[in-house]
Amino acid sequence: MKTSIRTVIAGASLGLVLAGCGSGANERSGDEVSVGVGASKEDYIDALAEMDPVELTMQLLVSADADYAKSAVDWAEAVEEWSGGKITFKIAYSGSIADATTMEDALNEGLVDVGQHQIQYKPEEFAVGNYFGGATFLYESSPVVGTMQMVGAMGQIWSEQDALVEENERNGLKPLIPATATGPSAFLCTEGNAVSTLDDFDGRQVRASATERAALLKELGAVPVDIPGSELFDAMQRGTVECADMGLTAAQVYGLLDVGKNWAFDSRVSASANPSGFDMSLAAWEDLPLAAQQLLWDRLDVFVESFLRNGVFASNAKVIDVAIEKGITFNDYDDEVVATIDSFFDDQLSHLADSAPEGVDGEAATTAVTDAFEGWYDLVTNELGYDQEVGWQDFDSAWLEANEIDLEPFVSEYVDVVLAPHRPGA
């Protein structure tokens, strides 16, 4: 499968090398300076020497000390350094300008220039994104290999599908890292409400993280509840919500580890991941000169490496640490629940082509999604040799410290497959 992925980028990569002459030298096209592929920091500082300084407002949905914030901060610092200080960032934390439900509006309206957003809160505006997001159950639910497979496949799908690109542009967004996720959602429940059997799910009030997840909850017999993450702690504390369909990082961000008592994780089944984008305001992007756009793009390797190391692996491990310290127990599903979930997603996949939104070729989309997830699994395991397997309940900081993960091979492939073909000026 690696061959097919490389085939996709072969022509584009060749064009990039020719355009940059393989030297990273700066070239002038009309009034714009174009920086070649492989440019050094000195090349960029020289290319941007005549640029008027610009300060970009970047909002993150988490606090400054959160591991999940580090990837964006590391990227911003790299851009500032490589621009010679011509591009700087003012960072707003904890959704202080706009919360997760209005982040796209803030980007579109120019209140924020760069930031993280989650499309599940805007199902009508992002019908295509949510459609593809509903197919992310195809990844393997494991902390290391499965996460890499998911991040690679989502990046490829979101950058290659024209309907996704056009949808983002209609909403005033310029994707930088078009879609990521930190891991699977699982059911975190309050005292006495653990779910492991169909009887446990029957009638249970469960907060659904996305439209597709609400459908799964109904299939399991639960009652899906639509409630913002910021209101979940109070709802679970009062007992109006008994369980939350929630990823590890989000559970900690919203303080749910203080109210949850049981967490249902099961490596035998995967669940759709909620895509999170790291995007820029399209208007702010278009205001930048080409060389500045190329710099923002070329330093996204820093974001990808830091996202996996800090925003996913370290962050998830620390959540497991805290969960264990607070006495949260982990449980699997029984075979009947596993069979029900498998059947639900098999049905979803069989109807993926028929349920495509307007403007999307369902048959082609189904093939693209399946090929991407299969291809990245093969690449991660067979080609790159990642084989660290551990259950979620054992994926704590001690395990992570004892099992160093070399991310350079994965980041290199991500750059080649996802980012290089779409480099500005290509």
Side-chain angles (χ1 to χ4, degrees):
M1 205 59 198
K2 186 177 183 182
T3 302
S4 65
I5 290 179
R6 290 187 178 279
T7 301
V8 170
I9 67 169
S13 297
L14 176 60
L16 290 172
V17 171
L18 293 176
C21 300
S23 65
N26 301 334
E27 298 181 347
R28 185 170 294 277
S29 176
D31 294 329
E32 289 206 286
V33 174
S34 177
V35 181
V37 175
S40 67
K41 179 171 71 173
E42 290 70 25
D43 291 330
Y44 267 113
I45 291 174
D46 178 62
L48 298 173
E50 303 302 318
M51 173 185 169
D52 292 333
V54 60
E55 180 182 72
L56 299 174
T57 298
M58 180 167 72
Q59 177 183 269
L60 306 179
L61 298 174
V62 297
S63 63
D65 59 353
D67 288 311
Y68 190 69
K70 191 165 176 54
S71 54
V73 174
D74 288 347
W75 170 78
E77 290 176 350
V79 170
E80 289 182 350
E81 180 183 352
W82 279 50
S83 71
K86 288 301 181 78
I87 304 173
T88 57
F89 293 84
K90 180 174 71 174
I91 305 178
Y93 292 98
S94 300
S96 57
I97 298 175
D99 65 18
T101 65
T102 59
M103 186 58 185
E104 291 86 358
D105 298 328
L107 286 163
N108 191 20
E109 294 167 8
L111 299 176
V112 175
D113 297 315
V114 187
Q116 302 155 319
H117 73 100
Q118 299 166 336
I119 62 173
Q120 67 266 29
Y121 295 110
K122 301 280 188 178
E124 294 182 0
E125 291 90 335
F126 293 91
V128 179
N130 279 286
Y131 165 75
F132 279 95
T136 56
F137 59 84
L138 291 167
Y139 74 98
E140 177 190 275
S141 182
S142 61
V144 180
V145 169
T147 298
M148 289 182 171
Q149 175 198 20
M150 176 173 56
V151 169
M154 289 174 71
Q156 181 184 349
I157 293 163
W158 259 256
S159 62
E160 289 182 355
Q161 294 297 311
D162 290 342
L164 285 166
V165 175
E166 292 164 3
E167 181 176 76
N168 282 316
E169 290 179 350
R170 285 197 305 273
N171 285 282
L173 304 180
K174 171 62 181 179
L176 299 175
I177 300 295
T180 59
T182 58
S185 290
F187 298 115
L188 178 64
C189 301
T190 55
E191 188 75 49
N193 292 311
V195 289
S196 60
T197 70
L198 289 180
D199 285 343
D200 293 333
F201 278 102
D202 189 29
R204 186 84 66 216
Q205 299 268 352
V206 183
R207 183 263 189 175
S209 60
T211 302
E212 169 271 319
R213 297 286 283 176
L216 173 60
L217 284 169
K218 290 180 180 178
E219 188 73 14
L220 291 167
V223 179
V225 178
D226 183 12
I227 185 171
S230 58
E231 299 176 16
L232 258 178
F233 181 90
D234 290 338
M236 293 180 72
Q237 193 173 48
R238 292 194 308 269
T240 55
V241 172
E242 298 164 297
C243 301
D245 172 27
M246 183 67 62
L248 279 81
T249 301
Q252 186 174 40
V253 167
Y254 293 124
L256 302 186
L257 301 184
D258 289 323
V259 68
K261 296 299 180 182
N262 306 98
W263 218 336
F265 278 97
D266 197 312
S267 60
R268 291 175 294 171
V269 290
S270 300
S272 298
N274 292 324
S276 293
F278 182 63
D279 293 356
M280 191 165 178
S281 160
L282 183 60
W285 171 266
E286 291 177 342
D287 281 343
L288 293 174
L290 176 59
Q293 293 176 349
Q294 290 171 328
L295 174 56
L296 298 184
W297 202 262
D298 286 351
R299 294 281 65 197
L300 286 171
D301 62 329
V302 173
F303 183 101
V304 175
E305 194 276 341
S306 184
F307 176 77
L308 282 170
R309 186 173 305 284
N310 300 296
V312 180
F313 296 145
S315 180
N316 285 345
K318 289 178 182 178
V319 174
I320 298 298
D321 293 342
V322 174
I324 293 172
E325 289 172 6
K326 291 182 179 294
I328 294 174
T329 59
F330 295 83
N331 65 272
D332 294 329
Y333 306 124
D334 70 6
D335 291 342
E336 192 174 13
V337 171
V338 172
T340 300
I341 295 174
D342 280 339
S343 176
F344 174 83
F345 284 123
D346 286 344
D347 185 65
Q348 291 285 102
L349 183 60
S350 69
H351 290 95
L352 191 63
D354 299 333
S355 61
E358 184 178 355
V360 175
D361 182 333
E363 294 288 349
T366 301
T367 299
V369 168
T370 303
D371 287 352
F373 278 97
E374 290 179 353
W376 276 93
Y377 182 79
D378 182 67
L379 191 153
V380 168
T381 56
N382 294 329
E383 300 293 338
L384 301 183
Y386 292 102
D387 60 1
Q388 295 95 335
E389 289 306 323
V390 58
W392 281 103
Q393 65 270 27
D394 298 317
F395 188 71
D396 57 10
S397 296
W399 185 92
L400 198 58
E401 290 173 7
N403 295 271
E404 184 177 354
I405 302 172
D406 179 11
L407 293 174
E408 192 281 329
F410 177 86
V411 173
S412 178
E413 291 289 345
Y414 188 97
V415 170
D416 285 348
V417 175
V418 178
L419 296 175
H422 308 285
R423 185 178 188 262

